[in-house]
Amino acid sequence: MIYKFCLLGKIMFESLSGKKVVIIGVSSGVDLAIAKKTAELGASVILSHPSQDKLNEAMESLSGQIEAKIVDIFDENSVNTFFEEVEEFDHLVVTSMGDRNMPRSLLAEMTTETAQGAMAKFWGTFFAVRAALKNIAKNGSITLTSSVTIFKYSKMGGISAIAAANAAIAVFGRSLALEISPIRVNVIAPGLIEDTSSWTSQSESERSDLTKWATSALPVEHLGQPEEVAQAVLSLIANTYATGVILPLDGGVTLL
């Protein structure tokens, strides 16, 4: 029985061989991990980022059929042009941005500009998915990125607009799973992940404190790694029976 399950998993992931996967967002650590694992499975990958320097740096650490393209996920015209150049493809992964890089404020002090800035995560996702529909395969998939904030609320406050943006992405994804079927649409909801834009924006002492907290408080006793996010994304891409899923990937923080 174990052998059969292992064989099934092997066959499932091998189904990515020869497919074309587009990764669009700004969270470079996770993007790189997804690109690397996808290319290792024989897929051709288009990796995007708003910075050419970041793309050049990323390409130096990757091998396989990987192409780099500049796109600003928050610019509607940039996204539309990007997908026109991509042409036909099979799977889309939208990594978007980490919560800690988004503007935050207590509601009583929140400006309209701050609230609109927090919702940029949703709009970037919206731009990407809408533009992708023209070229994505009917038996393909879309994987979006929300956040653990839709399940676990912060006692510190100041993230209500951020949580609203993440909730919008999650509901957007589940609604689309029906609207654009048979294209599959799933959503991952990660907690704090090392080596993302959120992580690197922290000071060394803050990162040390977070690592200690994860070791002592989380059931898995460690912070999330980009490779673990990549594994979750690949499982959603490869499993042709998975659609409308919102997958928490938080080390068990929602259990606390």
Side-chain angles (χ1 to χ4, degrees):
M1 183 63 73
I2 294 176
Y3 171 77
K4 288 183 179 179
F5 278 117
C6 291
L7 181 60
L8 179 61
K10 183 176 184 292
I11 293 172
M12 184 173 69
F13 284 114
E14 284 180 347
S15 67
L16 286 173
S17 179
K19 300 297 184 180
K20 188 175 181 180
V21 180
V22 176
I23 303 169
I24 182 170
V26 297
S27 183
S28 60
V30 171
D31 293 353
L32 283 174
I34 297 171
K36 181 179 180 181
K37 288 187 176 295
T38 306
E40 287 174 353
L41 292 169
S44 63
V45 179
I46 295 180
L47 180 64
S48 67
H49 197 279
S51 165
Q52 183 64 60
D53 289 340
K54 288 287 187 181
L55 282 174
N56 292 340
E57 182 181 336
M59 293 300 289
E60 290 177 1
S61 64
L62 296 170
S63 60
Q65 296 182 320
I66 301 177
E67 181 182 358
K69 285 184 175 291
I70 292 180
V71 64
D72 181 355
I73 192 174
F74 305 116
D75 184 310
E76 182 177 1
N77 293 328
S78 176
V79 172
N80 289 339
T81 299
F82 170 80
F83 280 102
E84 288 173 4
E85 295 175 352
V86 165
E87 299 181 334
E88 294 182 355
F89 69 99
D90 299 286
H91 302 286
L92 172 66
V93 180
V94 183
T95 59
S96 198
M97 66 159 72
D99 289 351
R100 288 174 178 267
N101 289 58
M102 298 165 70
R104 60 184 62 203
S105 170
L106 295 174
L107 182 59
E109 303 163 359
M110 189 182 300
T111 65
T112 301
E113 182 180 12
T114 296
Q116 290 174 336
M119 292 303 295
K121 181 173 183 177
F122 168 76
W123 284 112
T125 300
F126 171 84
F127 293 151
V129 175
R130 184 180 61 179
L133 289 183
K134 297 176 182 178
N135 304 330
I136 192 168
K138 293 301 181 184
N139 62 345
S141 74
I142 297 172
T143 306
L144 308 180
T145 305
S146 179
S147 167
V148 70
T149 57
I150 66 174
F151 299 115
K152 184 79 172 180
Y153 307 114
S154 171
K155 295 179 180 179
M156 295 184 295
I159 66 165
S160 57
I162 297 172
N166 285 313
I169 291 170
V171 175
F172 181 58
R174 279 182 60 82
S175 297
L176 286 178
L178 283 176
E179 180 179 325
I180 66 175
S181 65
I183 298 169
R184 296 179 297 106
V185 186
N186 295 295
V187 182
I188 58 167
L192 184 59
I193 308 298
E194 283 193 52
D195 196 30
T196 61
S197 55
S198 298
W199 176 255
T200 54
S201 68
Q202 308 298 303
S203 68
E204 185 175 343
S205 62
E206 287 175 321
R207 291 196 295 269
S208 176
D209 288 343
L210 286 169
T211 300
K212 291 176 182 177
W213 166 80
T215 301
S216 62
L218 290 180
V220 297
E221 299 183 347
H222 70 274
L223 287 171
Q225 301 298 311
E227 293 76 16
E228 292 170 318
V229 178
Q231 290 168 1
V233 169
L234 285 174
S235 68
L236 292 174
I237 292 175
N239 191 327
T240 56
Y241 204 54
T243 193
V245 173
I246 301 176
L247 178 63
L249 193 68
D250 54 32
V253 71
T254 51
L255 302 173
L256 303 178

